[in-house]
Amino acid sequence: MRKLALSDEILLSIEKPARYIGNEVNSVMKDKEQVDIRVAFCFPDVYEIGMSHLGIQILYDMFNQRDDIWCERVYSPWTDLDKVMREKHTPLFALESQDPVKEFDFLCFTIQYEMCYTNILQVLDLSGIPLLASERTEEDPIVIGGGPCTYNPEPLADFFDIFYIGEGETEYFHLMDLYKEYKAKSLSRKEFLHDAAKIPGIYVPSLYEVTYKEDGTIESFAPVCSDIPAVIEKQIVMDVTDTYYPKAPVVPFIRATQDRVVLEIQRGCIRGCRFCQAGMLYRPLRERDLSMLKDYAITMLKNTGHEEISLSSLSSSDYSELAGIVNFLIEHCEGQGINISLPSLRIDAFSLDVMSKVQDIKKSSLTFAPEAGSQRMRNVINKGLTEEDILRGSGEAFAGGWNKVKLYFMLGLPTEEDEDIKGIAYLAEKIAEHYYEIPKDQRNGKCQITVSTSFFVPKPFTPFQWAPMNTHEEFLGKAYTVNHTIKDQLNKKSIKYNWHEADVTLLEGLLARGDRRVGRTILKAYENGALYDAWSETFHYDIWLKAMEETGISYDFYNFRTRTFDEILPWDFIHIGVTRKFLEREWERAKQGIVTPNCRQGCSGCGGRSYGGGVCYED
């Protein structure tokens, strides 16, 4: 009988013990004596967040299709169990077998956001694996990082043996087969890592050396061996229809953040928003076949018992067969009590017609993401959305019965001026006025507009990667301007305003564009108690400020200065298809407020065609 790693006494003393017991519907159990490789896949956050992540579900299913590999899951223990495990010296374990993570061949992290970096160290620490890759022995698992944050892996370079750059369906099995070969020959960890570095998309940080100039910028970045590549090429799946996708994803025991079937309809985006890292990283756009989506939708709903299905992509409205899949789901789900979720839609007549069929208009709200308050700023960021589009969409929504609107904006964007900031309040007011122009007897109650602003963080591989960030005081000053201007509007009672924390944003900026030297700050912050930094109740900014002071790292260098085109950026050794020349050109166009058309309107020569398919070859 399967034995749990935690005693009943411990499980009854902590919050949500179901996070740690495994054995959920569709989880995969194997005989560990009958497999050659054991892989622990970790989402370094709490179970409910990690179980909502599609990427791990895809790779979990992919690995477990092979008889010689057993892939299991592990998540960050919440603070209550973290304390108990340290007190009782209980090693961190995988959910399926409940075996210690240290016994596995590989520990793979998916790194989705910068504020989970100390949780990565928590998982290593609780597993009994040395935090620094240089201190690991033949007895330790190979530690791999993947996901969007690994497109600048340098702040985490000291903690990882390998980074996988790209989509996991491409080269992971090549890596596993190489490991089997080395394991059979009893070759060393060092020899394996050296040959792994020759596999496309595999970056082994210990085999690359960085030098710095007197001003702190990078002087050189190069491999220490002549037989490994100087440039790491992003690996992507071009045929997203005939590839791995789970028909029976694991169903959590407790309510996850996204407790539903997730159907990824396409990868990539045609829009080219200059602030959006994902829109550049996942180019070119690649669509899944409609017949495949229909088949998987029915099968996944049947195999999970979920009562909701979500169509996932960066911009769902750009999927060419959207009407086909939506109408199929409406027809199939009718009378079954299954909800259909449609995130990332552009609000137009078709979208509103669809949403009126799948949502309770009285309860739901519509979401617009203008991102900037003025047309000038929307042109700077290449949003491709006019005020006319926004007002027309909201007007059609109000006429359709909606009265709740959520608006998302960013503050601190490059070239931003006072009028752009106040424009956020003005736009919200215009939408409210639009509502109250409807005759009173035709309105659906009072209008509710929620305005939310986040603070802008420049990300690697975007045209804004050279831009400076605002200071803490500048961010809060801009939020105050929005708040004050909203209170001056005629319909202020219909408008609610929320804004993000400035201190978290500054730290995210440091981790997003940092170099290897930032790794010692992450380590010091963790040693001083930083953990679950993505959660406001557990985030302690003073710990990070102290760690920065102790390690000689400053926001002035990493956040507040403008970078020049001749500077070597920490991530320049990675090639994502989108060229640096294109990003430079887009940065210049942004400063001039020039809009670049989306990929279906005209090719902008970004470099995505080098992959030989997708939207680049539709015509």
Side-chain angles (χ1 to χ4, degrees), residues 147-154 164-167 234-236 277 281-282 460-461 512 570-576:
C149 288
T150 61
Y151 286 90
N152 177 22
E154 291 305 277
Y164 184 109
I165 310 299
E167 296 170 354
K234 174 186 80 172
Q235 303 300 299
I236 65 171
Q277 186 185 45
L281 293 183
Y282 300 119
F461 294 108
W571 51 90
D572 275 346
F573 68 97
I574 297 172
H575 180 59
I576 67 161

Side-chain angles (χ1 to χ4, degrees), residues 275-289:
F275 60 84
C276 180
Q277 186 185 45
M280 298 296 166
L281 293 183
Y282 300 119
R283 285 189 174 202
L285 178 86
R286 294 146 286 152
E287 296 190 341
R288 293 190 192 272
D289 184 75

Side-chain angles (χ1 to χ4, degrees), residues 291-354:
S291 60
M292 174 265 193
L293 294 177
K294 289 179 178 179
D295 175 44
Y296 271 71
I298 294 171
T299 305
M300 292 168 77
L301 286 167
K302 179 182 176 182
N303 288 340
T304 61
H306 279 305
E307 297 177 340
E308 183 172 347
I309 184 167
S310 175
L311 302 183
S312 170
S313 82
L314 292 174
S315 180
S316 298
S317 295
D318 294 320
Y319 177 56
S320 61
E321 297 281 1
L322 184 63
I325 187 60
V326 167
N327 290 328
F328 169 79
L329 289 174
I330 290 173
E331 182 181 333
H332 177 75
C333 297
E334 187 176 8
Q336 296 188 42
I338 295 171
N339 296 319
I340 303 168
S341 174
L342 299 163
S344 305
L345 286 180
R346 297 173 80 84
I347 306 302
D348 54 24
F350 168 74
S351 299
L352 292 168
D353 178 58
V354 168

Side-chain angles (χ1 to χ4, degrees), residues 403-405 425 428-433 435-436 445-451 482-497:
N403 68 336
K404 300 172 187 174
V405 175
E429 172 66 15
K430 287 177 183 177
I431 293 172
E433 288 172 356
Y435 181 79
Y436 290 114
K446 186 181 176 183
C447 177
Q448 300 173 46
I449 298 173
T450 302
V451 173
V482 175
N483 194 34
H484 185 75
T485 310
I486 285 175
K487 289 179 179 178
D488 286 342
Q489 303 308 305
L490 181 64
N491 292 294
K492 60 187 177 185
K493 290 185 179 178
S494 295
I495 307 171
K496 180 184 177 184
Y497 178 47

